[in-house]
Amino acid sequence: MDSATNPGASDGLPTFEPSSPSNGSTTKPTRSNWRSALQYFNSEIAIEHADIPIIACCLVSGLCDSSAYNAWSCFVSMQTGNTIFLALGASDQPNTKPFGWLKSLVSITSFLLGCFIFASTRLINPKARGTLATSFVFQSMFIIIAAILVQAGVVPEPQGIVTESGSKINLLELLPLGLLAFQSGGQIVTSRILGFNEIPTTVLTSVYCDIASDPKILARDNIKRNRRVAAVIFILIGGIAGGWISRSSAGMSTSLWIAAGIKLVIALSWSFWRPKNSIQL
């Protein structure tokens, strides 16, 4: 009888919706997303195949060093040569580059500072995805700033082989020189942190020695030899490419943009790198 009089009563459905809490409904998912993101980027990467991005840094060194030396008669990665240039400055040599020692000093100092700063990542989970990606983003930004300075004409872009004459020196050249040397410190620190001491990325003298003195140099499976040989090849390729690009109408800034692009790709790859001890099906 009651159901006939009131059809809605037979359904037993509520006639109102419970009010959702105004606070906390969106906060919890947001916090959960933040925690998931932090956990993701704090995950330590798997070392397997992590030598590939480090070898790619050798290509960057070749591009930057060949361009910098061709333009400013100074290295930004290989500091052994800069140390000799600095030593020659004590006797005011070479005569054609009276301030070459100053450029070398700036490069060495910037490189050391870069190594010190980037090595501080040891305090914050150095092998984590986020740490490595952030490190390489900053490295690429330093190269980008140097490329902008050259392309915008703030620092005169040299064409072909440049020789200094007399006592003239453009102090603005020290800006991109220091930036490029600073970021070079970051990549060699990363190779050390990841345990790839056979790929220093910025020097080849010790690599040549290790290749020639390796008792297993002809062994079929010799991963360290393969990495050393790859480092030599990629620095050589980068140097050749940097020389031809500087000589072309593209100019030095193009080499720097390519180097910056490579480091951005490396930074992106660290972000998606497989975590350590992940289960592979």
Side-chain angles (χ1 to χ4, degrees):
M1 191 80 182
D2 292 339
S3 61
T5 353
N6 187 7
S10 63
D11 297 333
L13 297 175
T15 57
F16 65 94
E17 292 183 359
S19 59
S20 58
S22 57
N23 296 325
S25 60
T26 56
T27 307
K28 288 183 179 179
T30 304
R31 288 179 180 175
S32 177
N33 292 338
W34 273 108
R35 287 174 183 171
S36 299
L38 286 174
Q39 185 177 3
Y40 178 86
F41 285 106
N42 282 332
S43 299
E44 187 172 321
I45 66 162
I47 295 299
E48 289 81 8
H49 306 299
D51 55 342
I52 295 175
I54 302 302
I55 292 172
C57 289
C58 296
L59 184 63
V60 174
S61 292
L63 281 166
C64 292
D65 258 341
S66 62
S67 301
Y69 185 79
N70 189 44
W72 307 310
S73 302
C74 181
F75 296 110
V76 293
S77 297
M78 302 185 184
Q79 301 301 332
T80 304
N82 285 337
T83 304
I84 298 301
F85 296 154
L86 180 62
L88 285 172
S91 57
D92 200 22
Q93 295 186 74
N95 296 329
T96 55
K97 301 177 180 64
F99 288 99
W101 64 270
L102 179 59
K103 296 178 181 179
S104 297
L105 181 61
V106 169
S107 181
I108 294 170
T109 304
S110 301
F111 181 82
L112 288 172
L113 183 60
C115 290
F116 177 79
I117 296 297
F118 284 104
S120 63
T121 58
R122 289 192 174 96
L123 305 175
I124 47 171
N125 199 357
K127 297 181 182 179
R129 287 181 178 129
T131 305
L132 291 168
T134 303
S135 171
F136 274 79
V137 166
F138 275 106
Q139 291 174 43
S140 66
M141 292 305 296
F142 282 107
I143 303 178
I144 288 172
I145 295 172
I148 291 173
L149 289 173
V150 174
Q151 187 170 344
V154 177
V155 178
E157 182 170 358
Q159 299 291 337
I161 300 174
V162 178
T163 56
E164 297 173 2
S165 57
S167 58
K168 293 180 180 178
I169 181 175
N170 188 346
L171 292 178
L172 289 176
E173 293 175 355
L174 301 178
L175 289 175
L177 194 63
L179 292 169
L180 293 174
F182 184 90
Q183 65 83 31
S184 293
Q187 64 186 39
I188 188 172
V189 164
T190 303
S191 72
R192 293 292 193 264
I193 287 175
L194 296 179
F196 300 121
N197 295 342
E198 63 273 15
I199 320 174
T201 75
T202 59
V203 65
L204 288 181
T205 306
S206 60
V207 175
Y208 284 137
C209 174
D210 292 338
I211 291 174
S213 60
D214 190 348
K216 298 180 181 179
I217 187 173
L218 299 178
R220 184 172 182 179
D221 296 322
N222 188 339
I223 186 64
K224 289 191 175 183
R225 174 208 57 200
N226 296 343
R227 288 170 180 162
R228 292 178 184 120
V229 172
V232 173
I233 292 173
F234 273 78
I235 286 182
L236 184 63
I237 291 174
I240 293 172
W244 281 104
I245 292 172
S246 296
R247 189 174 181 177
S248 69
S249 59
M252 176 188 179
S253 59
T254 301
S255 295
L256 300 182
W257 284 114
I258 294 172
I262 293 172
K263 290 221 163 176
L264 281 176
V265 171
I266 294 174
L268 189 63
S269 72
W270 291 136
S271 301
F272 296 100
W273 205 267
R274 182 172 66 85
K276 183 181 179 181
N277 297 330
S278 65
I279 300 174
Q280 289 183 326
L281 300 177

